[in-house]
Amino acid sequence: MASTPKACVIGSGPNGLAAAVVLAQAGLQVEVFEAEATQGGAVRSMELTLPGFVHDFGSAVHPLGAGSPFFSSLPLHEYGLKWIHSPAPLAHPLDDGTAVVLERDLGAMKTALGEDGQSWCGLMRPFVEKWKEFAPEVLRPVPGFPKHPWLMAHFGVNALRSAKGIARRFHGERARALFAGCAAHSFLRLDEPLSGAFGMLMAVSAHAVGWPIPRGGAQAFADALCGYLSTLGGEVRLSSRIESLAALPGYDVVLCDVTPRQLIAIAGQQLSPAYIRQLEKFRYGPGVFKVDYALSEPIPWKAAECRRAATVHLGGRFEDIAASEDAAGHGRHADRPFVLLSQPSLFDASRAPAGKHTAWAYCHVPNGSKVDMLQRLEDQIERFAPGFRETVLARHTFSPADLEGMDANLIGGDISGGAMDVRQVLFRPTWRQYATSKQGLYLCSSSTPPGGGVHGMCGYHAARMALAKLSTR
Ligand SMILES: Cc1cc2nc3c(=O)[nH]c(=O)nc-3n(C[C@H](O)[C@H](O)[C@H](O)COP(=O)(O)OP(=O)(O)OC[C@H]3O[C@@H](n4cnc5c(N)ncnc54)[C@H](O)[C@@H]3O)c2cc1C
């Protein structure tokens, strides 16, 4: 009888773990090698400031984690994962002291947005109501015939446009600002094609799934995946950085949760020169400058509605956010950067000592930036929450290089595994997508389709391809 095939995964980010689970579910013997001392990659939590304050090093808010077709098929709640939903997914304060709130319920959203309520809900509703069909389509490689062609044609008509183009359908500043913040998750300029698609995906997921946080921190998500993997017989070997493929003999398949630059370093000698040249052309996107805070009290928002949401977008009007993203996209540092902020302890008491709070905030900067953005980032928080600085007990800043030092995939502070523009969404990282020029060797990180975010679908699709090829060998 043939022996059980052996698989190895390099990297325990959500995509590496997703790949490992798919392979283990198929009966393969799976080992995961992780460079860091803790599993999870950019889905880890740690005490970064003061004792008792738990901070998410990378991802904090998980619409695509909770709404992922693959992750939502796993019994992760049995392994400690509990999603917490704030009353509203997102708040977006404005300079007049009010905030636009993204309500999960479309009826409430229609009322909240007033003159633009109808347009907003008309745009999102078809995909919100069909999330179960929509999510697998949008979280997979783009070339290929969709299972739901009408739904995807409808999405494509809007999604290929820029955020600026889509925002034209809104008359008021409030809806335009809210959409700009959602679209800016793409790291694209808001006049670039596809920036509208990201805006829609973020907004649709907010209505369909919510923007939940894991109780206890993002680490609980990675730990639940590892817990489930171990019941399937998979093993995670921590503090095991793989420098060369030569160190991994005897595996039938090797899946790499790394980006193209690292793949060349690890496996270059076994890859074809033509494939290496293609990998070298892969472009990384802007980076992030991040700050974690221990706070003496909740953030003193001018607009009280901001307290209803775990995520707050700080940037003001559409034009202000567009200017910030334009700067990062052109290698400049915005004076008033768009800031993404999460305030998990308002909804999860386990994140901080009684009565105290945490906050997580970052802004986009040019890849590899060495500029200290702390003052500019905090000025943006103060703009909408005067007195914020007086609540800070301690802070921890991460430059792009600091982030990369904690997770080698965060090249130059790029948290998406590479720029997500049209070319690199279609051919990510090359036309081969998950496959490489070496038989049995695959890429499975967010540098493959569908790209950045904690959804595990890169790992899922890569592992499915590896299994399909294995069965024909
Ligand atoms: C600051 C920040 C905020 C974010 N916020 C969100 C958010 O709120 N919501 C969201 O959905 N997404 C968010 N993201 C993005 C999300 O975390 C990533 O898209 C996701 O983690 C990518 O998963 P991955 O498995 O491809 O890579 P990673 O999570 O980066 O994991 C890669 C793993 O591979 C390991 N590794 C690398 N090289 C080697 C080697 N040679 N040998 C062994 N191991 C190796 C690394 O140590 C790491 O553990 C954020 C990311 C960051 C950094």
Side-chain angles (χ1 to χ4, degrees):
M1 212 167 71
S3 59
T4 309
K6 284 178 72 183
C8 152
V9 179
I10 302 175
S12 71
N15 285 313
L17 293 174
V21 168
V22 172
L23 297 169
Q25 282 175 329
L28 272 65
Q29 195 182 325
V30 182
E31 277 175 282
V32 181
F33 293 91
E34 167 52 52
E36 302 300 323
T38 314
Q39 65 266 12
V43 186
R44 277 181 288 166
S45 311
M46 48 197 82
E47 278 186 356
L48 290 166
T49 54
L50 299 172
F53 290 82
V54 179
H55 302 278
D56 289 334
F57 154 69
S59 67
V61 185
H62 298 90
L64 301 180
S68 158
F70 179 59
F71 285 150
S72 58
S73 75
L74 306 179
L76 298 180
H77 58 281
E78 290 171 22
Y79 298 87
L81 177 63
K82 182 175 187 307
W83 293 119
I84 295 177
H85 289 267
S86 48
L90 165 70
H92 187 124
L94 297 167
D95 285 316
D96 64 3
T98 67
V100 203
V101 175
L102 198 161
E103 303 285 353
R104 190 164 164 191
D105 176 68
L106 281 172
M109 189 68 200
K110 193 169 166 214
T111 311
L113 276 185
E115 60 176 340
D116 285 319
Q118 184 83 35
S119 292
W120 181 281
C121 295
L123 182 63
M124 308 300 172
R125 187 182 301 280
F127 313 105
V128 174
E129 289 177 348
K130 292 223 166 349
W131 176 261
K132 288 238 155 22
E133 292 82 18
F134 176 63
E137 297 280 16
V138 84
L139 295 174
R140 73 177 185 105
V142 178
F145 198 73
K147 276 194 187 153
H148 302 277
W150 295 119
L151 185 70
M152 295 319 286
H154 186 174
F155 181 65
V157 167
N158 291 300
L160 281 173
R161 302 175 66 192
S162 67
K164 194 174 169 188
I166 290 187
R168 277 200 199 105
R169 62 195 289 150
F170 305 128
H171 301 294
E173 198 163 89
R174 300 170 76 77
R176 287 164 46 75
L178 190 65
F179 192 71
C182 291
H185 281 249
S186 65
F187 285 80
L188 296 173
R189 287 179 283 107
L190 300 195
D191 56 3
E192 268 188 84
L194 276 190
S195 54
F198 285 96
M200 285 186 63
L201 178 60
M202 296 317 291
V204 166
S205 67
H207 294 299
V209 183
W211 283 15
I213 56 173
R215 185 175 65 187
Q219 187 73 53
F221 195 175
D223 290 352
L225 282 166
C226 289
Y228 178 57
L229 177 64
S230 77
T231 63
L232 300 172
E235 289 180 62
V236 181
R237 308 208 181 288
L238 299 172
S239 305
S240 304
R241 187 178 301 277
I242 302 301
E243 310 278 2
S244 162
L245 217 51
L248 299 171
Y251 291 96
D252 298 283
V253 286
V254 176
L255 275 79
C256 301
D257 184 10
V258 305
T259 79
R261 195 178 294 177
Q262 296 143 277
L263 184 71
I264 295 171
I266 294 171
Q269 297 204 325
Q270 302 188 41
L271 301 174
S272 75
Y275 180 62
I276 291 179
R277 278 196 300 279
Q278 289 162 13
L279 288 178
E280 282 170 344
K281 287 192 188 137
F282 188 72
R283 285 165 292 110
Y284 292 91
V288 308
F289 179 94
K290 176 171 183 261
V291 192
D292 289 286
Y293 294 98
L295 304 174
S296 59
E297 57 189 83
I299 298 176
W301 300 111
K302 257 196 260 180
E305 303 95 294
C306 291
R307 282 233 200 173
R308 294 180 54 226
T311 305
V312 186
H313 284 165
L314 306 172
R317 297 173 316 142
F318 183 101
E319 290 71 20
D320 299 335
I321 296 170
S324 162
E325 298 314 288
D326 190 64
H330 282 111
R332 291 182 278 111
H333 295 81
D335 290 334
R336 295 177 115 193
F338 171 58
V339 174
L340 296 92
L341 184 142
S342 163
Q343 42 184 5
S345 57
L346 280 184
F347 312 99
D348 178 2
S350 73
R351 305 289 188 108
K356 305 284 189 286
H357 287 275
T358 59
W360 161 115
Y362 70 81
C363 64
H364 300 163
V365 292
N367 192 282
S369 159
K370 294 191 172 63
V371 173
D372 183 349
M373 294 293 282
L374 181 64
Q375 169 137 10
R376 287 184 236 188
L377 184 147
E378 287 189 355
D379 285 350
Q380 285 288 64
I381 306 179
E382 285 275 341
R383 176 175 162 195
F384 302 103
F388 167 74
R389 284 192 177 96
E390 282 91 86
T391 70
V392 176
L393 298 170
R395 54 170 74 73
H396 183 110
T397 62
F398 285 104
S399 68
D402 297 331
L403 291 168
E404 192 177 332
M406 302 269 293
D407 174 349
N409 284 27
L410 305 175
I411 307 275
D414 176 349
I415 70 172
S416 305
M420 297 277 291
D421 55 20
V422 175
R423 188 171 184 279
Q424 294 204 158
V425 164
L426 288 174
F427 308 107
R428 189 167 184 84
T430 71
W431 62 269
R432 292 174 190 263
Q433 299 184 334
Y434 312 102
T436 69
S437 60
K438 181 177 164 56
Q439 194 187 29
L441 180 70
Y442 298 87
L443 270 169
C444 70
S445 72
S446 59
S447 303
T448 62
V454 181
H455 41 66
M457 296 305 286
C458 311
Y460 168 82
H461 287 296
R464 298 268 301 221
M465 177 186 271
L467 287 172
K469 291 266 165 63
L470 196 60
S471 69
T472 61
R473 261 167 47 189

